[in-house]
Amino acid sequence: MGLPSKKRTNRSKRDRASHFALKPLTLGKCPECGSPVKTHYACPKCGLYRGKQGKEVKKRADRLLRKPKA
């Protein structure tokens, strides 16, 4: 197995890792309800995605509010 022939300097490490930083979220507005939505995702409030109903929000909310079985 090969070994590195030279030590990677601190500067070169930072240069290599400069694009690892977290980028801010790009949020758009839902055309139906106006709430902030991540791009390319269905709206968490109304469930609309690209003009169509993407998910049943009421059914999902009911499922989350149900008491877990003991």
Side-chain angles (χ1 to χ4, degrees):
M1 184 158 71
L3 294 173
S5 59
K6 293 203 163 79
K7 176 185 172 185
R8 186 179 283 269
T9 64
N10 287 338
R11 175 65 190 205
S12 116
K13 269 194 293 193
R14 286 193 307 266
D15 284 346
R16 182 179 53 86
S18 65
H19 66 282
F20 291 169
L22 294 175
K23 293 164 182 67
L25 285 176
T26 53
L27 295 176
K29 273 192 175 178
C30 175
E32 188 71 22
C33 64
S35 66
V37 182
K38 284 172 63 174
T39 53
H40 301 94
Y41 278 77
C43 175
K45 300 269 189 203
C46 64
L48 207 69
Y49 180 68
R50 295 181 72 185
K52 297 177 187 167
Q53 193 64 32
K55 60 182 179 182
E56 297 294 327
V57 177
K58 186 158 180 65
K59 190 164 58 170
R60 290 174 65 90
D62 291 342
R63 191 180 333 143
L64 289 173
L65 292 175
R66 249 188 286 162
K67 289 184 180 177
K69 294 179 182 176

